[in-house]
Amino acid sequence: MADQKKKQIPLRLSAKLYDAIAAWAEDDFRSVNGQIEYLLTECVRQRKKNGKYVSEHLDEPIELDIQ
């Protein structure tokens, strides 16, 4: 099983972002770690389409009120 060997990485988040992810995780019945992994996986899936990147503008920062 490929998931048996997962990388552990330190991750620093603002308290506000952590709280938002934690609330979302609770709504989705996931742990915070599971929610972050789910969100990252979904972002990677959406970024690629038929082996190509979906948009040239995905790397541009967006305005979020979560810092």
Side-chain angles (χ1 to χ4, degrees), residues 12-64:
R12 292 176 183 85
L13 304 172
S14 70
K16 195 171 183 180
L17 177 57
Y18 180 88
D19 290 344
I21 292 171
W24 193 357
E26 188 175 330
D27 289 345
D28 288 352
F29 302 104
R30 292 189 182 98
S31 66
V32 172
N33 188 77
Q35 189 72 6
I36 291 170
E37 186 173 8
Y38 168 78
L39 293 170
L40 289 172
T41 300
E42 287 303 305
C43 285
V44 170
R45 283 185 186 149
Q46 289 177 21
R47 179 138 168 104
K48 292 182 179 181
K49 187 176 184 179
N50 297 325
K52 297 179 182 177
Y53 291 116
V54 176
S55 170
E56 296 176 1
H57 305 287
L58 288 177
D59 291 330
E60 293 176 10
I62 59 173
E63 295 288 326
L64 296 175

